Amino acid sequence: VSDPEVSYDGKKIVFALRCPTTNTSRIQGQPACTGQWNLWEYDMSAGSFSGGALRRITSSTVDDDVDPAYLPGDKGFVFASNRQTKSKLNQALGRSYYALDEYERERVLNLHTMDKDGGAVTQISFNQSHDRNPVVRPNGDIMFARWEHVADRNRFAIFRVKPDGTDMFVLYGAQSRVNSFLHPRDRD
């Protein structure tokens, strides 16, 4: 279990869970374990902590879904995934395609959103390295860590984006490029 996030009303917890397919546990008649990271929610609305209900939000047997966070207004979730919802369609014309990191070692994680029932999955970020750890800011924007690993650059920058994927902007990381051109006495 990883990445627990409490809902705005404090009655639910969303988290990522990975368990092997050899685990024969079942949830609502379906196998609980797919061998991949999936998103789950524990809902305590109808009872106490011990009387809550568990549900799997994603059910992938191929992709990993991690780092979930609630979107405001009960509009669903933002999360990191290597499913490449949009880039898989745009760059490979419907063929099986997954973006790999710059060393072609692993599939990269980018940000996605989905509705509260796990539908309408939409990719909102595109990066050849990883976009991880989304946090919803008080104004509804999503702040996240972007690994920028291209040529001799290897760093994490902090970005923000709207839940629909628009208005992406670097919050922290650009200053280090500006400072590199300044005389040491003029750097902040």
Side-chain angles (χ1 to χ4, degrees):
V1 175
S2 181
D3 315 314
E5 178 81 19
V6 178
S7 65
Y8 293 94
D9 63 4
K11 296 180 180 180
K12 298 177 185 176
I13 301 171
V14 66
F15 57 93
L17 171 70
R18 179 180 181 191
C19 54
T21 56
T22 55
N23 182 326
T24 58
S25 299
R26 300 181 82 73
I27 301 272
Q28 298 169 343
Q30 299 294 319
C33 299
T34 68
Q36 301 300 125
W37 285 99
N38 281 289
L39 302 184
W40 293 75
E41 185 178 55
Y42 189 68
D43 185 349
M44 299 166 284
S45 300
S48 64
F49 181 75
S50 61
L54 185 64
R55 75 174 176 122
R56 183 171 52 208
I57 301 167
T58 61
S59 301
S60 181
T61 59
V62 179
D63 306 313
D64 289 313
D65 300 329
V66 295
D67 299 335
Y70 287 95
L71 292 172
D74 204 27
K75 293 188 177 176
F77 309 92
V78 60
F79 63 104
S81 179
N82 59 11
R83 63 177 63 210
Q84 302 294 325
T85 305
K86 182 125 175 107
S87 53
K88 180 170 53 173
L89 295 174
N90 287 352
Q91 296 178 16
L93 302 173
R95 294 185 187 107
S96 180
Y97 165 82
Y98 294 100
L100 298 177
D101 68 6
E102 55 281 348
Y103 299 115
E104 296 185 5
R105 293 178 301 189
E106 64 182 71
R107 292 169 43 195
V108 300
L109 295 163
N110 281 295
L111 297 186
H112 292 71
T113 59
M114 67 178 148
D115 64 29
K116 64 182 179 178
D117 297 320
V121 176
T122 305
Q123 185 175 346
I124 64 168
S125 77
F126 301 86
N127 185 7
Q128 77 174 29
S129 294
H130 298 282
D131 290 343
R132 299 279 316 256
N133 308 106
V135 173
V136 179
R137 300 172 72 193
N139 67 356
D141 288 352
I142 300 164
M143 184 171 65
F144 63 97
R146 169 167 277 187
W147 184 22
E148 295 179 329
H149 190 193
V150 179
D152 62 346
R153 177 182 291 169
N154 187 13
R155 66 174 186 182
F156 281 93
I158 306 299
F159 278 71
R160 70 130 164 93
V161 68
K162 302 270 186 218
D164 65 0
T166 61
D167 199 26
M168 187 175 293
F169 186 78
V170 63
L171 295 174
Y172 178 78
Q175 187 66 32
S176 61
R177 287 181 284 191
V178 172
N179 276 345
S180 67
F181 297 109
L182 299 176
H183 188 276
R185 72 173 181 271
D186 297 326
R187 295 179 187 167
D188 50 272

